[in-house]
Amino acid sequence: MSQSTYTVQGMTCGHCVQSVTEEVGALSGVSHVEVDLPTGLVTITSDSDLSEADVRTAVTEAGYQLAS
Amino acid sequence: MSQSTYTVQGMTCGHCVQSVTEEVGALSGVSHVEVDLPTGLVTITSDSDLSEADVRTAVTEAGYQLAS
C-alpha cells in the first residue's frame, strides 16, 4: 500500500471533486481517492507507487491542473 | 413560443451549468435552455408559459437556488 498527496487547482464544486475522483480512481492500482475541495488536496491510496506523470494526465483529463 | 429568464445562485463551473441545463431542460415544453455562468442568468425557451414553481423545483433538484 502506498499513499501520495497532490494539490489540484481549479476545482470549485462537488462535480469537480467527482470528476477528479473518477479519473484518478481509474488509474491502475488505485484503491482509494480522497479530495478536499477547499484546499484542493487529493490523497491517493494505491497498491504500488504511482508515477506523477500518470496522476497529472488523469487530473488533466478531468479538466484540472496539478499545482506546479 | 415563450421565453423567460431567471437568476440561479450557486453555480461555479461547467458541471453546475450542465446540471441546471439538464434539469430545467427536462421540464415539459422546454425546447432550449441557455445558462450564463458568470451572471447566473438562465434563459428558457418553451412552447408555453412555464410556472415559476416548476422552474424552481428543477433548479432545486439540480442542487441550486433561484434568486429570491
Side-chain angles (χ1 to χ4, degrees), chain A residues 14-34:
Chain A
H15 297 114
C16 301
V17 170
Q18 195 180 339
S19 296
V20 169
T21 302
E22 281 174 10
E23 287 290 344
V24 173
L27 290 174
S28 175
V30 170
S31 56
H32 189 69
V33 181
E34 206 162 308

Side-chain angles (χ1 to χ4, degrees), chain B residues 30-47:
Chain B
V30 171
S31 56
H32 189 69
V33 182
E34 206 162 309
V35 178
D36 184 65
L37 179 56
T39 59
L41 277 182
V42 178
T43 304
I44 307 169
T45 308
S46 56
D47 296 339

Side-chain angles (χ1 to χ4, degrees), chain B:
Chain B
M1 277 301 193
S2 168
Q3 202 171 62
S4 53
T5 302
Y6 296 87
T7 300
V8 172
Q9 297 175 321
M11 296 184 295
T12 55
C13 74
H15 297 112
C16 301
V17 170
Q18 196 179 339
S19 295
V20 169
T21 302
E22 280 174 10
E23 286 290 345
V24 173
L27 289 174
S28 175
V30 171
S31 56
H32 189 69
V33 182
E34 206 162 309
V35 178
D36 184 65
L37 179 56
T39 59
L41 277 182
V42 178
T43 304
I44 307 169
T45 308
S46 56
D47 296 339
S48 54
D49 283 346
L50 291 175
S51 80
E52 182 174 316
D54 287 348
V55 174
R56 186 176 299 275
T57 299
V59 167
T60 302
E61 272 170 13
Y64 305 90
Q65 286 195 318
L66 273 199
S68 59

Side-chain angles (χ1 to χ4, degrees), chain A residues 5 13 19-21 26 29 32 37 41 43 45 49 56-57 62 64:
Chain A
T5 302
C13 75
S19 296
V20 169
T21 302
H32 189 69
L37 178 57
L41 277 182
T43 305
T45 308
D49 283 347
R56 185 175 300 274
T57 299
Y64 305 92

